[in-house]
Amino acid sequence: MLRLLDIEFFKLRNTKYFWVLMGLFILFLFAMPIGFRVLLNYLTSIGENMMGWDIPANQMPFYDFVDIWQNLTWSYMNFSILLGFIMVISINNEYTYGTIKQNVIDGLSRSELLWSKLGFIMILSLVISVATFFVGLIFGFLYSPTQGWHYISLHLEFLPAYFLHLVVFQLFCLVISMLIKRPGITISILVFYIFVIEPIASVLLFYKYKLELLANILPMKAISNIVPMPWTKYAFKETQTTLALDDALIMGVWAVLLYLIARWILLKRDLA
Amino acid sequence: MKVLQIDKLHKDYGKLTAVHQLNLSIKAGTVFGLLGPNGSGKSTTLGMILGVTNPTSGSFKWFGERGNHKHRKRIGAILEKPNFYPTFSAVKNLQIVCKIKEVSTDRIDEMLTLVGLIERKNDSFKTYSLGMKQRLAIAAALLADPEVLILDEPTNGLDPKGISEIRQLIIDIAQSGKTIILASHLLDEVQKVCTEFAILQRGNKIYQGKVEDGFGDEAIVEMASRDLETLQLIIQNHPAYISERWLKDKLEVKFTLNTDMAELNKYCAEKGVYLTHLSEIKKSLEQQFMEILSENA
């Protein structure tokens, strides 16, 4: 497995797009919590209150231990698309330049090829989840009124949830790239699907046809539902602040399904 | 020892049959030519034995075992066009090959020197000319000091200088005792570098033999003496004689295959005819290649 990871990381670390997209991702990793603080301070300075309540905006417990994990991971999920792009470009280049074929000719089995990609996805997701933990710790120490391991450890489960989200999302991008093979088209289709098709389908299914279950198993929704949207609780509305078993289950089914599709494509389809 | 054994290998693309029940065996040390016009199934066959194309049916064995990716590490192969990471330098591309084949990177410079790319080794692949790309592919194929080398149309798209360089390289490699499988639609190429060959047409193997034998079953000999008429007379009584025809100032005589020239010379002398010219000529392979293809059309 180490050999496979070494091969995949070698391929990626020698490309520009990998560092540009990773650089952007890391930038957002820090810019998001800093920027949010700046925004809250600005809102307070112009006399805004927290979501219409009589509390200054910068008192919003965004960075509080307990809350911070769900807040951070949910916010970061919006940047997963950058990692998805890395996967799309990498897979599509391998097909376009015939290097996937040459790798196999040179002696990589198709299974090894798949696992070099999957292994890399997992390691990258793990590194990002751990980095998220440290970012959370830093901002929590700076701004959280509650301190101490007890508060820190509450709801840490959002980190493994975020890890799973990253893995399954990248796996989704991997499968789409394998199906479409062409980089420009894949990225357009992916962006169009994520930001236009699925939101519309989701709204239609949910509100028009009242098919809540179906709306929840659409891939993007399923992959993101694992960390529920936290903001509504600051308006004192009912908000899910724990992991839900059924969300995890749906995502697990997607993970298995996507893995099987990727495996089927790679093993059954001619690479030539 | 048999390096490669192919049994009833078959590939259908929908209704189209690309390779039909192909049997082939290749011994160690052979330079084997896979000859056929474009679309005859050469690349599909190579794709199957190299694991990138899934056979519809049939099987193949590398080094006496059912073929798998471990065997491919002992094989150096390029299919159709050189496949490399375009933004990577030659060295980085070869490093990936080393990682995949699990060999050390020690030979990279040596191989790049061999193919004449050492001075461009840190330039990215996309800046290379077609000939340089082709040569890098050969360097990659040779990198792990493989037992078998597979080359698919290695001179395709090259200029005459490039073609002769690559051919010389193949001949040099062959002399080091490696088994080489060369697919080509150019008969001339196969004739120049191969020892054995098979002809594919529309997925069928229609001929297999040694290059030195030509394709025919007869030996063609040019003969002359002071008195051509007497020569013609005695030669018609030779046991291996098939037919003859007059050329301008000599006879072109067909004998059965493997007729010994020394014996033929002695035979004429014993009959009192001294030869002024004796030369065994190979019928143009090109001509025979066309004949075989048209017979099977």
Side-chain angles (χ1 to χ4, degrees):
Chain A
M1 193 67 206
L2 272 179
R3 165 175 163 259
L4 300 180
L5 287 172
D6 176 43
I7 291 172
E8 184 62 21
F9 186 48
F10 186 88
K11 288 178 187 172
L12 285 171
R13 74 165 180 260
N14 284 297
T15 63
K16 233 179 257 165
Y17 66 82
F18 176 72
W19 292 112
V20 169
L21 289 163
M22 273 317 289
L24 273 177
F25 188 85
I26 292 166
L27 186 74
F28 283 130
L29 221 59
F30 288 98
M32 201 285 300
I34 295 172
F36 199 71
R37 184 77 204 172
V38 171
L39 178 74
L40 288 183
N41 283 339
Y42 169 75
L43 289 177
T44 311
S45 73
I46 60 166
E48 280 292 329
N49 292 334
M50 184 182 114
M51 303 223 171
W53 294 78
D54 194 17
I55 304 166
N58 67 357
Q59 296 298 304
M60 179 176 165
F62 179 82
Y63 303 94
D64 286 19
F65 282 125
V66 182
D67 278 14
I68 194 166
W69 304 122
Q70 188 179 2
N71 292 347
L72 265 191
T73 51
W74 188 88
S75 309
Y76 285 170
M77 287 202 307
N78 296 300
F79 307 126
S80 302
I81 188 103
L82 293 171
L83 305 177
F85 285 162
I86 292 178
M87 207 26 71
V88 170
I89 298 171
S90 141
I91 295 284
N92 285 334
N93 280 352
E94 297 252 32
Y95 275 106
T96 309
Y97 301 123
T99 45
I100 196 167
K101 185 173 133 184
Q102 193 62 41
N103 284 172
V104 169
I105 292 172
D106 287 339
L108 214 57
S109 78
R110 297 187 191 198
S111 241
E112 284 178 333
L113 198 69
L114 179 61
W115 277 101
S116 75
K117 305 278 177 204
L118 294 181
F120 186 80
I121 288 177
M122 287 181 193
I123 296 292
L124 185 65
S125 305
L126 187 69
V127 169
I128 291 171
S129 305
V130 171
T132 304
F133 172 68
F134 285 111
V135 172
L137 274 188
I138 293 169
F139 284 91
F141 284 146
L142 286 176
Y143 304 121
S144 171
T146 49
Q147 296 287 346
W149 179 246
H150 171 71
Y151 290 108
I152 294 173
S153 65
L154 274 177
H155 292 312
L156 262 183
E157 73 270 16
F158 281 111
L159 287 174
Y162 177 54
F163 167 78
L164 287 177
H165 154 84
L166 287 174
V167 171
V168 183
F169 178 72
Q170 289 176 86
L171 183 57
F172 177 79
C173 294
L174 175 117
V175 169
I176 298 293
S177 326
M178 280 179 162
L179 284 171
I180 304 173
K181 288 190 190 175
R182 290 199 173 72
I185 303 176
T186 313
I187 288 187
S188 320
I189 290 181
L190 201 63
V191 169
F192 193 65
Y193 178 80
I194 293 176
F195 296 108
V196 181
I197 298 185
E198 190 173 307
I200 293 175
S202 174
V203 166
L204 283 181
L205 285 173
F206 198 88
Y207 293 105
K208 189 151 183 232
Y209 303 105
K210 309 279 177 216
L211 296 166
E212 194 179 335
L213 179 71
L214 219 55
N216 279 330
I217 60 174
L218 291 172
M220 281 310 116
K221 197 132 176 65
I223 292 167
S224 318
N225 267 354
I226 189 87
V227 180
M229 217 260 274
W231 310 134
T232 47
K233 79 177 159 212
Y234 300 123
F236 299 100
K237 288 189 179 140
E238 194 187 331
T239 304
Q240 187 188 332
T241 55
T242 50
L243 297 191
L245 189 65
D246 54 345
D247 292 333
L249 217 63
I250 293 172
M251 194 163 84
V253 170
W254 267 110
V256 172
L257 197 68
L258 289 167
Y259 167 76
L260 290 176
I261 296 172
R263 191 173 174 79
W264 188 85
I265 294 174
L266 210 50
L267 266 60
K268 295 297 166 201
R269 205 162 65 173
D270 289 339
L271 292 174
Chain B
M1 191 196 84
K2 273 177 194 156
V3 164
L4 174 65
Q5 171 88 46
I6 296 178
D7 284 312
K8 294 191 185 138
L9 204 57
H10 193 95
K11 178 68 178 178
D12 289 330
Y13 289 109
K15 279 182 184 167
L16 181 91
T17 298
V19 174
H20 182 75
Q21 304 286 338
L22 182 69
N23 294 309
L24 205 62
S25 84
I26 295 176
K27 285 201 284 285
T30 317
V31 182
F32 195 94
L34 204 53
L35 189 59
N38 293 327
S40 56
K42 304 184 297 284
S43 295
T44 307
T45 304
L46 296 184
M48 286 193 281
I49 61 176
L50 289 171
V52 293
T53 305
N54 300 322
T56 307
S57 62
S59 66
F60 58 90
K61 284 179 178 172
W62 279 113
F63 313 107
E65 292 168 40
R66 208 182 148 77
N68 65 37
H69 67 282
K70 290 193 182 75
H71 299 127
R72 295 201 293 274
K73 289 179 188 165
R74 297 160 65 185
I75 299 168
I78 36 172
L79 279 193
E80 288 163 295
K81 68 179 179 65
N83 297 315
F84 290 103
Y85 296 88
T87 56
F88 292 15
S89 67
V91 173
K92 285 198 172 137
N93 268 301
L94 294 188
Q95 279 172 345
I96 294 187
V97 178
C98 288
K99 284 175 195 292
I100 291 174
K101 289 195 179 286
E102 294 181 273
V103 293
S104 93
T105 51
D106 295 349
R107 276 165 56 90
I108 289 181
D109 278 0
E110 188 190 336
M111 288 304 109
L112 287 175
T113 309
L114 179 76
V115 298
L117 285 175
I118 193 74
E119 260 138 48
R120 298 284 306 270
K121 71 173 188 174
N122 291 319
D123 294 346
S124 65
F125 175 73
K126 64 181 176 202
T127 66
Y128 286 13
S129 70
L130 185 60
M132 293 166 74
K133 288 177 178 174
Q134 204 76 270
R135 280 183 282 152
L136 181 62
I138 291 184
L142 288 171
L143 197 55
D145 195 19
E147 291 153 71
V148 184
L149 195 59
I150 297 180
L151 304 165
D152 188 7
E153 307 277 4
T155 58
N156 222 0
L158 297 186
D159 58 21
K161 184 166 166 282
I163 291 176
S164 85
E165 279 170 11
I166 298 270
R167 282 188 189 157
Q168 192 52 49
L169 197 59
I170 297 171
I171 292 169
D172 292 346
I173 297 162
Q175 271 159 4
S176 70
K178 290 195 193 309
T179 310
I180 301 180
I181 302 172
L182 173 87
S184 179
H185 67 283
L186 301 170
L187 181 92
D188 169 56
E189 184 158 283
V190 167
Q191 199 178 358
K192 280 191 176 126
V193 294
C194 297
T195 51
E196 261 186 68
F197 70 106
I199 300 178
L200 289 186
Q201 190 191 32
R202 281 188 235 109
N204 291 290
K205 183 174 82 177
I206 56 175
Y207 184 86
Q208 182 172 3
K210 286 194 159 64
V211 169
E212 58 181 11
D213 296 344
F215 310 93
D217 43 13
E218 48 205 31
I220 299 167
V221 182
E222 278 182 3
M223 308 175 83
S225 71
R226 295 264 152 71
D227 182 359
L228 277 183
E229 264 130 39
T230 319
L231 177 64
Q232 184 183 17
L233 222 59
I234 63 154
I235 214 71
Q236 284 172 347
N237 294 320
H238 189 277
Y241 167 86
I242 298 171
S243 67
E244 101 283 309
R245 69 184 177 107
W246 283 82
L247 299 176
K248 208 163 56 188
D249 52 356
K250 49 193 176 243
L251 289 173
E252 187 190 274
V253 193
K254 279 184 187 169
F255 293 99
T256 54
L257 203 60
N258 299 326
T259 301
D260 181 20
M261 291 304 109
E263 189 277 327
L264 192 63
N265 198 359
K266 189 168 159 237
Y267 170 86
C268 293
E270 277 166 3
K271 300 275 177 190
V273 176
Y274 294 95
L275 298 175
T276 55
H277 176 81
L278 176 68
S279 152
E280 186 179 11
I281 56 160
K282 298 237 158 62
K283 188 172 171 185
S284 145
L285 281 172
E286 195 75 47
Q287 199 183 334
Q288 294 177 62
F289 178 49
M290 290 306 165
E291 276 170 27
I292 289 185
L293 289 182
S294 62
E295 275 166 30
N296 287 278

